[in-house]
C-alpha cells in the first residue's frame, strides 16, 4: 500500500496547475476551482493499490477511475501498472453566496400581505423567514418552502390575523391548517399553515426548548429570541434568517454565512451537545453535506462517530425518522457520498441494523457502499434516462444490499427470511413493497446470471444446460431462440418494469464480481447494452402485459374439467410457455396443442396406473 500525503499550496497555484495540466487527469467540480490542498507526485510499484485517508469533499480523478472524497477513512483505488505518477488534487469547495436575497414576484407579494397585517393591527412583531429557504436563496436556488418564525406570537394566532386582514381588504383566503404538536411523531411545536397566492406558508414561534436526557420531548417550551432559535438549529447553514420587516439577512451564530461560503457543515453549538439533543441531526448533517458537496467539520465527525451519539441515535430516534432520512439520501443527487459518510463514521450498522441472528462480516459495510458506487457509475454510463426515479432509487438499495442478498434468519415458524426484508421493514420502517421489490431484484439477477452468456457474443455456456423445469417438458421447443424466449419471458413477467434494473445488477457480477476490478465500467455497460438489445430483439419488452391466447374457462372446456384449481393453474403456465415459444401462434393452434398434449399426458397416466395395478403387484409378489 502507498500512503499519499497532503501538501499545502496557495489556491492560485493549484488553479493554474489544473488549467495548464489537463493531461494529469484532474476532475474538477465548479466548487473546486480554487484548490487549497494537493497530493503530489508519487511513483507506484507495479500492481500497487491506492490507499489514502481523506477529509475533504470534492471530485477528483486518478486514471482510470473517478472518485469523490469527503470522508475520513480509507478509499481503495485502482491497481497501477509500471511506475506511473499519480496526482490527486482536492480542496474544500469554494461556494458562490449572494450578498442579498432577491425575491421573486410571488414572494414579494406574500411578504407585502404579511407586513400589511402588521400595519393593520399595529403589531410590532418581527417576521423572519427561517432555515432552508434562506440558505437556498443565498445559493441562487429556487425554494418554495417558506417557514416564518414569529418573535412574540403563536403561529395560529398570527394566521387568524392574516386571514381577517385579507378579508377586510376584499382578498380571498385560500386555506388554513393548524398542525398540532405530536410528540409521538417527533413534532413538538404547533405549526400554522396558510395558503397565500397558491403557496403554503408555515408559521411558528421562535423556539427555546429544554429536553430530558432520554427523550426528544421538550420538558419546557417558551418564546425564544432569534439568537436562541438560531443556536438550537441543526446546522449553521440552516440557522440563517431573512428579516421581512428590515429586508435583511441575519446570522445570529456569526458562522452561517462563512460556513456557507466555505462549504462546511457545522453545528451552531458544540456538535456532541447538538447531536445528543437530537441524534437525527447526524443524518441530516450527512444528507446536506452530500447534497451540496460540502465537507463535514472535523469536530462534527468526531462527535458523530462517538459511541454515546450512536447509542442515542439507536435509542432516542424512531426508525421511521431514520428511514425517512436515508430515503432522502438514496433519492438525492449524491447517494454514494452520503452512504460513504455513514460508513466512514461507523454508523452503517446503526442505521441498517440487522436481525439479532445475523452478524455482518468484516468489511461488509464497505462492500455495500462499493456496490452502490459501481451501480451509480454504471447508471451514468448507461444513461440516466434509462430508468425512472423509482427504479433508480430501488436499484441503489438493491446494489447496496448485494452482499447481504443470501443472508437469512429464522422467523418464529423456523422459515428462512432474507435479512434485507428485516432492514426495510424493521430497521428503516419503509414500505413492504420496497422490501419485496429489492428481494425480487436479487432473485432475478441470479436468474439473469445464468442467461447472460446467451445474450452476448462470447457466451461460454450451452443453453441446454439451463433447466426449464418439469412443468414445461410438454412444450415443444424447436430452437435455441424459443427456449431463450420461454426462460427470459417468465423472468420478465416476474420482475416486470424492473427487469432492466435486475439485468444491470447482474452485470456487476458477470463474468466476475465488479469489486475485483478486472473489467472496465465501459465493458460492463457494453454487456448491459448487448443483453438489453438481445431481449428486445426477442420481442419480450412488456411481455407481462401479453394476454394468454386461452383464458381459464376455455382451458377447462378443452380439458373437460368441471371446476378449476391447481390443475388449471398448471396448464395456464404451460400454455404461456407455448405462447412464448411460438410468438406467431394463434388461439386455434394453441387449443389443438393443448388437446393433444392433455390427451398424451392422460394416456401416459393411464399406462402408469396399469403398470402399477394390483395384478402387476401380485405377479411381482409371486415371483
Amino acid at each position: 500500500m502507498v500512503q499519499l500525503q497532503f501538501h499545502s499550496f496557495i489556491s492560485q497555484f493549484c488553479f493554474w496547475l489544473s488549467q495548464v495540466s489537463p493531461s494529469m487527469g484532474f476532475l474538477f467540480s465548479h466548487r473546486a476551482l480554487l484548490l487549497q490542498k494537493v497530493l503530489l507526485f508519487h511513483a507506484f510499484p507495479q500492481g500497487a493499490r491506492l490507499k489514502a485517508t481523506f477529509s475533504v469533499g470534492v471530485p477528483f480523478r486518478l486514471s482510470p477511475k473517478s472518485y469523490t472524497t469527503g470522508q475520513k477513512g480509507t478509499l481503495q483505488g485502482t491497481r497501477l501498472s509500471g511506475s506511473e505518477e499519480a496526482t490527486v488534487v482536492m480542496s474544500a469547495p469554494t461556494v458562490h453566496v449572494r450578498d442579498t436575497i432577491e425575491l421573486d414576484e410571488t414572494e414579494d407579494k406574500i411578504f407585502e400581505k404579511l407586513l400589511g397585517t402588521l400595519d393593520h393591527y399595529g403589531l410590532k412583531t418581527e417576521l423572519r423567514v427561517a432555515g432552508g429557504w434562506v440558505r437556498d436563496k443565498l445559493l441562487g436556488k429556487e425554494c418554495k418552502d417558506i417557514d416564518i418564525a414569529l418573535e412574540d406570537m403563536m403561529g395560529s394566532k398570527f394566521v387568524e390575523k392574516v386571514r381577517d386582514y385579507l378579508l377586510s381588504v376584499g382578498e380571498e383566503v385560500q386555506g388554513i391548517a393548524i398542525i398540532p404538536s405530536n410528540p409521538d411523531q417527533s413534532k413538538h411545536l404547533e405549526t400554522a399553515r396558510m395558503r397565500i397566492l397558491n403557496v403554503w406558508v408555515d408559521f411558528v414561534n421562535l423556539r427555546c426548548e429544554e429536553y430530558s436526557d432520554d427523550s426528544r420531548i421538550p420538558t419546557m417550551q417558551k418564546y425564544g429570541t432569534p439568537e436562541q432559535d438560531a443556536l438550537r438549529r441543526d446546522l449553521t447553514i440552516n440557522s440563517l434568517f431573512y428579516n421581512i420587516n428590515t429586508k435583511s439577512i441575519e446570522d445570529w451564530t456569526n458562522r452561517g454565512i462563512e460556513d456557507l461560503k466555505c462549504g462546511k457543515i457545522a453545528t451552531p453549538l458544540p456538535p456532541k451537545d447538538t447531536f445528543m439533543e437530537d441524534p437525527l441531526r447526524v443524518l441530516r448533517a450527512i444528507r446536506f453535506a452530500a447534497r451540496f458537496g460540502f465537507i463535514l467539520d472535523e469536530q462534527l465527525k468526531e462527535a458523530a462517530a462517538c459511541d454515546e451519539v450512536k447509542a442515542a441515535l439507536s435509542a432516542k430516534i424512531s426508525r421511521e425518522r431514520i428511514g425517512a432520512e436515508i430515503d432522502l439520501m438514496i433519492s438525492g443527487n449524491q447517494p454514494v457520498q452520503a452512504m460513504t459518510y455513514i460508513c466512514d463514521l461507523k454508523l452503517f450498522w446503526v442505521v441498517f441494523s440487522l436481525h439479532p441472528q445475523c452478524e455482518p462480516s468484516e468489511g461488509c459495510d464497505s462492500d455495500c457502499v462499493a456496490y452502490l458506487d459501481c451501480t451509480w457509475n454504471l447508471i451514468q454510463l448507461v444513461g440516466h434516462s434509462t430508468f425512472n426515479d423509482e427504479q433508480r432509487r430501488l436499484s441503489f438499495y438493491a446494489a447496496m444490499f448485494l452482499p447481504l442478498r443470501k443472508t437469512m434468519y429464522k422467523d418464529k415458524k423456523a422459515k428462512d427470511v432474507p435479512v434485507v426484508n428485516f432492514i426495510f421493514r424493521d430497521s428503516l420502517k419503509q414500505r413492504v413493497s420496497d422490501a419485496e421489490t429489492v428481494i425480487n431484484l436479487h432473485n432475478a439477477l441470479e436468474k439473469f446470471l445464468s442467461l447472460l452468456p446467451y445474450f452476448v457474443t462470447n457466451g461460454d455456456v450451452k443453453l441446454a444446460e439451463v433447466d426449464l423445469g418439469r412443468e414445461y417438458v410438454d412444450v415443444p421447443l424447436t430452437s435455441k431462440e424459443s427456449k431463450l424466449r420461454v426462460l427470459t419471458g417468465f423472468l420478465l413477467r416476474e420482475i416486470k418494469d424492473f427487469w432492466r434494473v435486475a439485468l444491470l445488477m447482474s452485470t456487476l457480477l458477470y463474468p466476475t464480481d465488479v469489486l475485483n476490478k478486472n473489467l472496465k465500467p465501459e465493458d460492463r455497460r457494453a454487456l448491459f447494452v448487448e443483453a438489453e438489445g438481445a431481449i428486445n430483439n426477442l420481442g419480450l419488452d412488456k411481455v407481462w402485459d401479453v394476454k394468454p391466447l386461452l383464458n381459464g374457462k376455455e382451458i377447462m372446456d378443452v380439458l373437460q374439467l368441471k371446476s378449476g384449481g391447481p390443475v388449471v393453474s398448471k396448464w395456464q403456465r404451460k400454455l404461456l410457455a407455448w405462447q412464448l415459444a411460438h410468438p406467431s401462434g394463434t388461439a386455434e393452434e394453441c387449443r389443438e396443442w393443448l388437446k393433444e398434449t392433455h390427451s398424451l399426458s392422460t394416456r401416459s397416466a393411464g399406462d402408469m396406473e396399469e403398470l402399477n395395478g394390483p395384478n402387476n403387484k401380485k405377479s411381482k409378489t409371486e415371483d
Side-chain angles (χ1 to χ4, degrees), residues 410-429:
K410 299 284 187 183
D411 65 8
K412 295 179 180 179
K413 297 181 180 179
K415 179 182 177 182
D416 284 334
V417 180
V419 74
V420 171
N421 183 70
F422 181 87
I423 293 174
F424 274 98
R425 301 182 69 168
D426 294 82
S427 301
L428 302 178
K429 295 292 184 182

Side-chain angles (χ1 to χ4, degrees), residues 202-424:
D202 287 0
F203 299 86
V204 68
N205 57 286
L206 290 171
R207 290 162 281 186
C208 180
E209 304 166 356
E210 297 178 8
Y211 299 87
S212 61
D213 291 338
D214 59 352
S215 174
R216 272 292 296 140
I217 301 176
T219 57
M220 181 181 297
Q221 296 184 40
K222 56 185 179 180
Y223 292 127
T225 65
E227 182 178 9
Q228 288 173 326
D229 188 284
L231 291 174
R232 63 154 296 282
R233 291 183 179 268
D234 55 357
L235 304 171
T236 55
I237 64 170
N238 294 337
S239 67
L240 300 166
F241 292 115
Y242 174 73
N243 191 311
I244 297 176
N245 301 61
T246 62
K247 296 180 174 56
S248 62
I249 301 164
E250 297 177 347
D251 183 2
W252 292 91
T253 68
N254 294 316
R255 295 175 56 193
I257 297 294
E258 178 185 354
D259 287 345
L260 197 60
K261 289 181 177 179
C262 293
K264 181 190 291 187
I265 298 295
T267 55
L269 296 175
K272 187 174 180 181
D273 294 344
T274 298
F275 293 155
M276 291 302 294
E277 179 185 286
D278 183 358
L280 190 70
R281 289 170 172 171
V282 174
L283 299 184
R284 285 177 55 82
I286 290 172
R287 176 162 62 86
F288 283 114
R291 174 184 171 186
F292 293 115
F294 289 1
I295 63 171
L296 292 176
D297 176 72
E298 288 298 324
Q299 291 183 347
L300 182 150
K301 288 193 287 186
E302 291 177 9
C306 79
D307 291 339
E308 286 181 80
V309 171
K310 288 191 284 187
L313 181 60
S314 293
K316 294 173 66 173
I317 303 302
S318 70
R319 284 287 157 180
E320 289 84 354
R321 294 181 72 201
I322 291 175
E325 282 294 326
I326 294 299
D327 208 53
L328 287 172
M329 296 181 203
I330 291 293
S331 303
N333 62 330
Q334 291 295 334
V336 178
Q337 186 59 67
M339 294 305 111
T340 300
Y341 276 130
I342 286 177
C343 182
D344 291 337
L345 295 174
K346 309 302 180 186
L347 295 169
F348 197 87
W349 301 121
V350 176
V351 172
F352 305 108
S353 58
L354 303 181
H355 189 276
Q357 295 176 16
C358 304
E359 186 71 24
S361 59
E362 184 178 356
C364 182
D365 52 351
S366 298
D367 287 345
C368 289
V369 177
Y371 278 115
L372 173 61
D373 184 22
C374 293
T375 302
W376 169 268
N377 290 327
L378 190 53
I379 285 179
Q380 308 311 307
L381 287 174
V382 167
H384 198 263
S385 61
T386 305
F387 308 99
N388 61 35
D389 290 344
E390 185 68 356
Q391 289 167 349
R392 281 191 297 273
R393 182 180 76 90
L394 292 177
S395 74
F396 295 148
Y397 278 119
M400 189 162 61
F401 298 142
L402 266 180
L404 300 170
R405 68 188 184 281
K406 296 180 181 179
T407 303
M408 303 285 175
Y409 68 93
K410 299 284 187 183
D411 65 8
K412 295 179 180 179
K413 297 181 180 179
K415 179 182 177 182
D416 284 334
V417 180
V419 74
V420 171
N421 183 70
F422 181 87
I423 293 174
F424 274 98

Side-chain angles (χ1 to χ4, degrees), residues 138-193:
L138 289 173
L139 292 175
K141 302 177 183 293
E142 288 299 316
C143 181
K144 293 300 182 183
D145 186 15
I146 302 177
D147 298 319
I148 294 181
L150 304 167
E151 193 171 44
D152 57 1
M153 189 181 303
M154 296 290 290
S156 55
K157 184 177 180 181
F158 185 73
V159 162
E160 290 177 0
K161 292 187 177 298
V162 176
R163 177 196 61 194
D164 293 343
Y165 166 70
L166 292 178
L167 292 174
S168 71
V169 295
E171 294 195 24
E172 178 186 4
V173 176
Q174 295 179 324
I176 292 177
I178 306 297
I179 306 171
S181 61
N182 187 347
D184 291 338
Q185 297 297 321
S186 300
K187 180 172 179 54
H188 310 299
L189 292 170
E190 176 189 275
T191 301
R193 305 193 75 199

Side-chain angles (χ1 to χ4, degrees), residues 24-39:
M24 292 180 182
F26 300 132
L27 180 66
F28 293 98
S29 70
H30 292 299
R31 301 189 186 98
L33 292 179
L34 296 178
L35 303 168
Q36 297 172 344
K37 295 181 179 179
V38 180
L39 292 176

